[in-house]
Every structure is written in C-alpha cells, then in structure tokens.
C-alpha cells in the first residue's frame, strides 16, 4: 500500500474503533503507523539520491521533506487519538446512527 491508502485505512479504523474490537483497531493502526514511518524514510532517502544526481533542486527536497513530515504527523495523531480513546475507554461516536453513516 502507498501512503495515501495507508492513511485512509488508518483513519477509517479510527472511526470504526467504537463499533469493532478496539484492541484490533489499535494493533492495526499501530502497524500502519510503523509502515508509514518506514515508507517516509525510504521516500526521503530516494529524494536525497535524486538530489545527489541533480534530478531535483534543493528547494524541491525541502518541500518534499516537509510533506513527508506532515504525513508522519497525521499518522502519529491518529495513533495518539486511538491510544487515548482506548486508555479512557472512550468512543469517538456514541450514536449508533454514525455507524451507518461511516459504513
């Protein structure tokens, strides 16, 4: 899976964690977060290689790195939310109609 799909999957699991096994969602989101970290590292390394080979500018690398950092932050925030919800035994939604809306 690519970064976009991993973020979408993670966010979807976060929203559904109130309706499914929260431990399953926590473990799955944790694995996705680790994979996002691995991919962003690999993508940064590839960008550095492109810079060394003068295929991109230094400015492009800065922008690219900022995007990778933002993606990692989104993933980290999703992980923090699910951890806190699990710790507090808190559901993001307590209206059963929300289950139907996000399904």
């Amino acid at each position: 899976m690519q970064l976009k799909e991993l973020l979408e999957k993670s966010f979807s699991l976060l929203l559904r964690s109130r309706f499914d096994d929260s431990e399953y969602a926590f473990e799955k989101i944790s694995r996705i977060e680790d994979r996002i970290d691995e991919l962003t590292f690999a993508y940064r390394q590839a960008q550095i290689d492109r810079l060394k080979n003068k295929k991109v500018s230094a400015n492009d690398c800065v922008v690219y790195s900022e995007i990778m950092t933002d993606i990692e932050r989104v993933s980290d925030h999703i992980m923090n939310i699910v951890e806190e919800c699990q710790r507090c035994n808190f559901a993001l939604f307590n209206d059963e109609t929300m289950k139907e809306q996000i399904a």
Side-chain angles (χ1 to χ4, degrees):
M1 269 192 223
Q2 296 300 315
L3 289 174
K4 178 182 180 274
E5 289 85 13
L6 289 169
L7 283 173
E8 288 172 347
K9 177 75 171 172
S10 185
F11 191 69
S12 175
L13 284 165
L14 173 65
L15 292 178
R16 295 172 191 271
S17 65
R18 188 244 188 251
F19 307 109
D20 298 328
D21 180 13
S22 64
E23 185 64 32
Y24 168 80
F26 175 81
E27 291 299 321
K28 191 83 169 162
I29 290 171
S30 180
R31 285 194 303 267
I32 290 170
E33 201 275 330
D34 289 343
R35 182 67 181 136
I36 287 172
D37 288 346
E38 292 169 4
L39 284 173
T40 55
F41 178 80
Y43 290 170
R44 277 192 177 105
Q45 290 303 116
Q47 184 71 351
I48 290 169
D49 292 341
R50 288 188 289 274
L51 178 64
K52 288 178 183 176
N53 294 324
K54 300 191 189 298
K55 294 181 179 180
V56 296
S57 71
N59 188 48
D60 292 341
C61 281
V62 170
V63 172
Y64 189 85
S65 181
E66 289 174 357
I67 292 169
M68 292 297 107
T69 298
D70 291 342
I71 290 170
E72 287 176 329
R73 283 185 184 143
V74 169
S75 177
D76 290 342
H77 288 316
I78 291 171
M79 188 69 211
N80 292 341
I81 292 167
V82 78
E83 283 176 339
E84 191 64 18
C85 287
Q86 187 178 36
R87 185 185 73 77
C88 297
N89 196 22
F90 174 78
L92 290 178
F93 304 107
N94 45 355
D95 181 6
E96 283 297 316
T97 60
M98 280 304 283
K99 181 179 182 178
E100 296 169 8
Q101 291 177 2
I102 63 172

